[in-house]
């Protein structure tokens, strides 16, 4: 199958993404969107923040432009820059500018990983101005009425250098995400991982065991995403202990002692 080239501004999510609500997050997001308020999602890795954004983009019938933030992401990467094409210098919008023009939902994933100058860029978009300064062009781009700014971060990875400042976070409506209840998480794992309910329940129990080790050798326990990965391997014939070793244990730690401990936990259940 050939790869498809998608235009982010017109990349509407056509099929409903599978998402199980865990509280009132859908209602709150819809109210924030109706009032043109930016949204902050906070929670651990792999708990469903990105899937939630995909679901809301589908539900609101808006294109979704996602930017995975990293240490080298600059304001120019988001806003745009001049490039030389065919011997001519032309301006190319960045993903944030494209979203502002098109009335898309722009989701900046793990915003604290980006360089600090990116925060200055999003501030005027995240208050009543709803504007994007484009200094290199000498203009200010006003956001389309349908534009929505959403950001996410993992509070568990906060540090002095990578914390979300009050000047940023107090511009946003905040939604806190966590791993679902055991019964709901088992339902998600069974559905997405294509395994039976009993096996899904054991995978969730295993995840809870690893989460209890957070701060005692593990930075993070097994996420719902990793449980789904393990479920898919098992559904394809991989023995459960090996699936848990490859999809979960090796993904959450490189420490030999912790690997042995986590693998022992999986062996006790499978």
């Amino acid at each position: 199958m050939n790869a498809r080239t998608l235009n982010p501004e017109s990349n509407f999510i056509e099929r409903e993404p599978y998402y199980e609500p865990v509280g009132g997050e859908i209602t709150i997001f819809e109210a924030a969107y109706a009032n043109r308020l930016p949204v902050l999602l906070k929670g651990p890795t792999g708990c469903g923040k990105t899937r939630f954004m995909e679901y809301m983009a589908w539900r609101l019938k808006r294109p979704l432009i996602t930017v995975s933030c990293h240490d080298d992401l600059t304001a120019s990467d988001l806003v745009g820059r001049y490039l030389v094409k065919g011997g001519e210098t032309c301006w190319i919008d960045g993903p944030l500018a494209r979203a502002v023009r098109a009335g898309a939902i722009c989701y900046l994933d793990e915003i604290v990983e980006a360089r600090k100058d990116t925060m200055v860029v999003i501030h005027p978009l995240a208050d009543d101005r709803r504007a994007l300064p484009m200094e290199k062009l000498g203009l200010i781009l006003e956001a389309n009425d349908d534009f929505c700014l959403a950001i996410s971060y993992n509070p568990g990875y906060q540090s002095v250098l990578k914390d979300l400042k009050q000047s940023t976070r107090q511009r946003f409506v905040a939604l806190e995400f966590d791993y679902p209840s055991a019964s709901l998480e088992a339902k998600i794992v069974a559905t997405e991982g294509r395994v039976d309910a009993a096996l899904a329940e054991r995978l969730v129990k295993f995840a809870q065991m690893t989460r209890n080790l957070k701060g005692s050798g593990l930075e993070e326990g097994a996420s719902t995403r990793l449980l789904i990965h393990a479920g898919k391997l098992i559904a394809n014939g991989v023995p459960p202990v090996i699936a848990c070793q490859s999809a979960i244990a090796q993904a959450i730690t490189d420490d030999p002692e912790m690997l042995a401990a986590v693998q022992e936990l999986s062996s006790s259940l499978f």
Side-chain angles (χ1 to χ4, degrees):
M1 180 179 178
N2 293 329
R4 292 191 301 158
T5 300
L6 300 175
N7 180 349
E9 295 89 324
S10 59
N11 185 22
F12 289 83
I13 297 174
E14 297 178 357
R15 297 178 59 184
E16 179 180 358
Y18 174 68
Y19 179 76
E20 292 284 352
V22 296
E25 68 271 22
I26 294 175
T27 300
I28 295 172
F29 193 100
E30 286 182 330
Y33 180 78
N35 287 279
R36 301 177 186 174
L37 301 175
V39 180
L40 161 64
L41 313 183
K42 56 181 182 176
T45 299
C47 70
K49 300 188 296 295
T50 299
R51 178 60 63 87
F52 172 71
M53 288 306 306
E54 293 172 349
Y55 176 78
M56 293 310 302
W58 170 83
R59 188 179 176 97
L60 295 169
K61 297 180 173 57
R62 300 310 308 155
L64 176 65
I65 297 178
T66 299
V67 179
S68 297
C69 299
H70 52 81
D71 290 340
D72 294 327
L73 186 74
T74 66
S76 293
D77 292 327
L78 289 178
V79 177
R81 53 168 51 91
Y82 283 106
L83 294 176
V84 177
K85 296 180 68 175
E88 295 184 357
T89 301
C90 58
W91 174 264
I92 303 295
D93 276 345
L96 184 57
R98 295 200 303 269
V100 168
R101 293 184 194 275
I105 297 174
C106 187
Y107 176 46
L108 305 180
D109 190 21
E110 296 295 348
I111 186 67
V112 294
E113 297 297 330
R115 285 171 40 164
K116 291 184 178 180
D117 63 336
T118 61
M119 297 298 180
V120 178
V121 169
I122 69 172
H123 279 182
L125 276 174
D127 57 30
D128 291 340
R129 288 172 289 179
R130 282 176 57 87
L132 178 63
M134 304 182 77
E135 295 180 359
K136 293 181 179 178
L137 292 179
L139 56 83
I140 296 176
L141 184 63
E142 292 186 356
N144 182 297
D145 287 346
D146 293 324
F147 169 75
C148 176
L149 176 64
I151 65 175
S152 74
Y153 85 113
N154 182 351
Y157 290 150
Q158 280 189 36
S159 69
V160 175
L161 296 176
K162 289 189 175 181
D163 193 5
L164 200 59
K165 293 183 178 181
Q166 290 293 330
S167 59
T168 300
R169 62 194 301 162
Q170 290 201 23
R171 284 172 157 82
F172 291 80
V173 172
L175 291 173
E176 185 171 11
F177 285 73
D178 203 346
Y179 301 120
S181 65
S183 58
L184 182 55
E185 189 168 27
K187 179 182 178 183
I188 294 169
V189 173
T191 303
E192 293 262 286
R194 303 189 300 272
V195 294
D196 60 48
L199 184 55
E201 288 173 3
R202 279 188 285 169
L203 284 169
V204 170
K205 186 174 181 180
F206 173 50
Q208 291 173 333
M209 290 176 172
T210 67
R211 291 166 192 168
N212 290 335
L213 295 174
K214 182 177 179 179
S216 301
L218 286 181
E219 290 187 4
E220 289 279 353
S223 66
T224 307
R225 179 191 296 131
L226 293 185
L227 300 186
I228 293 169
H229 290 176
K232 289 179 177 179
L233 293 182
I234 295 169
N236 271 54
V238 177
V241 172
I242 296 176
C244 288
Q245 177 181 346
S246 298
I248 299 175
Q250 294 286 353
I252 61 177
T253 184
D254 293 318
D255 181 82
E257 292 184 3
M258 285 307 304
L259 275 172
V262 172
Q263 288 167 13
E264 187 174 334
L265 292 176
S266 67
S267 297
S268 70
L269 290 172
F270 299 102

